[in-house]
Amino acid sequence: NAGVTQTPKFQVLKTGQSMTLQCAQDMNHNSMYWYRQDPGMGLRLIYYSASEGTTDKGEVPNGYNVSRLNKREFSLRLESAAPSQTSVYFCASRVRDGFSYEQYFGPGTRLTVT
Amino acid sequence: QQQVKQSPQSLIVQKGGISIINCAYENTAFDYFPWYQQFPGKGPALLIAIRPDVSEKKEGRFTISFNKSAKQFSLHIMDSQPGDSATYFCAASSDNDMRFGAGTRLTVKP
């Protein structure tokens, strides 16, 4: 049981390049999330998918697109990377268990855009 | 506008001391308040959480105090240990929305 996995761990892009961050979970969770983490700003939600086949914008969706490929996988795409997208990106999945909305996070992808 | 405000940004505590981190939220629709612990190079991991129908929850050395009328909650770490050195995030959540505080970097000195 690997939990939430993310690839790649590190990536350097040039301005204008595109890339896709991959995320997969093996916990059979319905909901999946993409966050970015910047110093002094906590984690900010980019997009989420409440269930397979649905996606919704979070706080900071501009410059990103997502695909919920199936129940396990949720990818984040940067079509034309900008230096402002330099960040650490975390994928998470969530279970609703009684009173809990516990989120499980992946190890993160550290992205640098030059 | 940040919906969850967390303080302090950083905290240094001696081993054996009490660490206290505070959070305040705006949206009364939030009904689940977790704290996450994050070590360098790792993703955040759930530490402890509370619902607003109780005022306190304790798990080992970690306690959440919750004040619904003031819309504030805090994390207390008793008998702080060097292994507790990490960044702590509070969060407030409703059904499909989870907002995080900016984080507190805790250093526990031996």
Side-chain angles (χ1 to χ4, degrees):
Chain A
N1 189 340
V4 180
T5 57
Q6 291 183 236
T7 55
K9 285 187 168 33
F10 301 94
Q11 183 72 49
V12 178
L13 291 178
K14 294 188 174 164
T15 298
Q17 287 185 317
S18 62
M19 78 161 296
T20 299
L21 282 64
Q22 307 287 352
C23 174
Q25 53 93 7
D26 60 3
M27 297 174 283
N28 202 36
H29 291 167
N30 285 322
S31 301
M32 297 185 73
Y33 303 80
W34 275 106
Y35 292 90
R36 60 179 288 171
Q37 183 176 32
D38 302 291
M41 305 203 57
L43 293 112
R44 292 182 293 166
L45 182 64
I46 304 171
Y47 270 93
Y48 69 95
S49 171
S51 61
E52 187 179 351
T54 69
T55 61
D56 285 286
K57 295 178 180 179
E59 290 178 78
V60 289
N62 292 344
Y64 305 95
N65 285 301
V66 291
S67 296
R68 183 73 182 267
L69 305 169
N70 48 55
K71 192 170 186 179
R72 290 187 64 248
E73 298 171 288
F74 188 38
S75 62
L76 178 72
R77 182 159 178 84
L78 287 71
E79 290 291 352
S80 178
S84 61
Q85 294 177 306
T86 293
S87 188
V88 182
Y89 291 85
F90 288 100
C91 177
S93 68
R94 187 169 86 171
V95 60
R96 176 79 185 268
D97 178 14
F99 92 112
S100 165
Y101 298 109
E102 181 171 354
Q103 288 199 354
Y104 294 81
F105 285 84
T109 295
R110 186 174 295 273
L111 175 67
T112 302
V113 183
T114 61
Chain B
Q1 181 184 356
Q2 196 168 14
Q3 293 204 22
V4 180
K5 295 183 180 178
Q6 182 173 347
S7 63
Q9 283 187 325
S10 64
L11 181 61
I12 300 173
V13 174
Q14 291 295 127
K15 179 182 175 182
I18 302 173
S19 304
I20 302 174
I21 305 170
N22 300 300
C23 283
Y25 64 97
E26 296 289 327
N27 188 346
T28 55
F30 292 137
D31 61 356
Y32 174 70
F33 300 88
W35 285 88
Y36 284 83
Q37 180 187 54
Q38 185 180 30
F39 293 104
K42 304 290 186 183
L46 180 68
L47 186 64
I48 186 173
I50 197 168
R51 287 294 289 264
D53 51 349
V54 297
S55 59
E56 186 175 282
K57 183 174 181 181
K58 184 175 181 179
E59 290 184 1
R61 296 184 294 109
F62 301 92
T63 300
I64 300 179
S65 298
F66 188 86
N67 185 328
K68 187 174 180 179
S69 60
K71 293 189 286 184
Q72 294 175 347
F73 58 111
S74 60
L75 176 70
H76 291 62
I77 306 174
M78 311 300 287
D79 187 26
S80 298
Q81 299 296 313
D84 296 331
S85 297
T87 299
Y88 292 81
F89 293 96
C90 63
S93 178
S94 59
D95 198 27
N96 265 314
D97 190 12
M98 185 175 284
R99 302 296 175 121
F100 288 82
T104 297
R105 180 172 291 185
L106 172 65
T107 303
V108 181
K109 296 205 164 183

